[in-house]
Each structure stands twice: as C-alpha cells, then as structure tokens.
C-alpha cells in the first residue's frame, strides 16, 4: 500500500507549516490502491529518534477506506499521543534531525476503540486484522 503526501516526498523535509514551529497542521496524505476486503484504516505517526524513545505524534483509527486524508482533517477516531492530547502534534525535535514515519494500515474490521486510546491499545486491537500497510517518512530539524 503506497502512502505519499503532496506536502513532502519520501525522505524529504516536512514543511514548517506541519510542525510546532508553524501552524502545527497535519499534512495531506494520499493512499494508493487499497486491498480487497478493507473495512477501515488506521494511522500511526511517530518519531523513533526522540531522546526518550519513540514519540507518538498522531493516532487515528476507524478511518473509512479513503484514498486520501486532506490537510488538517481527522476522518477517524483520535488516540492519545505522547503530548497527552487527542490531535495531531507536529514534529518538534529538541535538537538534530529527526525522522517522522506516517504509517497507514488497511484493516479487515473496524476497531471501535474509544477516543483517547493509546498506541499500545491500538496495536493490540489491530493484531491479526492488518491486510496491508504502507509508510511515508519525512525529516525535520530546528
């Protein structure tokens, strides 16, 4: 499953607009062909280069099987990120260049997890339901 963005290409800089130094608005994501049988999508965006370990920036699930998510949109249920918020938290590295992974999962079910669930709860609920996945990686430094 291919994931891309009109805002940045794989491995390129994430525009300031989508970070804590700008508008902190989520980038638009484009989703390639979905597998047969997909009933919902889930999204995890995180930074494995954070000093304290992987930092979760955005969690969303029960997204309808779409071919894209518009900039600033949240068409699914939002989980609690590591900013302790249920929204998109853009890149905000304390120092150096960090990698940010936007991972989309095609699922054979809806998850019906409550809003504010954690990344671990999402991963557990998705277990054995992932039909396909794809990722887009961008970088950002301050």
């Amino acid at each position: 499953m291919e994931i891309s963005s009109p805002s940045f290409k794989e491995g390129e800089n994430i525009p300031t607009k989508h970070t804590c130094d700008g508008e902190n608005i989520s980038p638009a994501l484009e989703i390639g062909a979905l597998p047969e049988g997909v009933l919902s999508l889930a999204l995890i965006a995180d930074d494995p280069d954070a000093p304290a370990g992987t930092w979760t920036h955005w969690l969303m699930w029960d997204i309808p099987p779409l071919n894209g998510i518009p900039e600033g949109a949240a068409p699914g249920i939002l989980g609690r990120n590591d900013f302790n918020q249920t929204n998109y938290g853009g890149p905000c590295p304390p120092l150096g260049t960090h990698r940010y992974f936007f991972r989309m999962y095609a699922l054979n079910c809806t998850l019906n997890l409550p809003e504010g669930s954690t990344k671990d709860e999402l991963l557990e609920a998705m277990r054995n339901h992932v039909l396909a996945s794809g990722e887009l990686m961008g970088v950002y430094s301050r």
Side-chain angles (χ1 to χ4, degrees):
M1 197 167 78
E2 189 174 322
I3 308 300
S4 61
S5 176
S7 299
F8 64 96
K9 296 198 181 325
E10 174 71 25
E12 291 187 352
N13 286 320
I14 296 171
T16 302
K17 174 182 188 176
H18 303 295
T19 75
C20 70
D21 296 318
E23 296 175 44
N24 209 22
I25 186 170
S26 62
L29 298 175
E30 297 171 347
I31 305 162
L34 296 173
E36 235 180 89
V38 63
L39 295 180
S40 72
L41 302 171
L43 171 70
I44 297 173
D46 58 22
D47 167 11
D49 302 319
T54 300
W55 187 268
T56 301
H57 285 261
W58 197 20
L59 294 172
M60 189 169 25
W61 57 87
D62 288 355
I63 304 165
L66 306 168
N67 290 110
I69 298 174
E71 179 180 271
I77 297 172
L78 292 165
R80 185 160 308 283
N81 61 28
D82 285 334
F83 297 107
N84 202 29
Q85 298 173 346
T86 53
N87 59 8
Y88 169 79
C92 200
L95 55 98
T97 300
H98 287 220
R99 297 169 298 152
Y100 297 87
F101 290 86
F102 294 80
R103 293 182 179 94
M104 189 73 65
Y105 301 87
L107 307 176
N108 64 1
C109 66
T110 54
L111 298 177
N112 298 309
L113 279 173
E115 182 175 333
S117 294
T118 65
K119 179 179 172 181
D120 286 343
E121 290 168 329
L122 174 57
L123 289 170
E124 178 60 29
M126 290 190 328
R127 187 189 313 240
N128 300 321
H129 295 290
V130 177
L131 299 173
S133 64
E135 72 179 27
L136 169 66
M137 188 274 292
V139 298
Y140 186 69
S141 59
R142 301 172 83 190

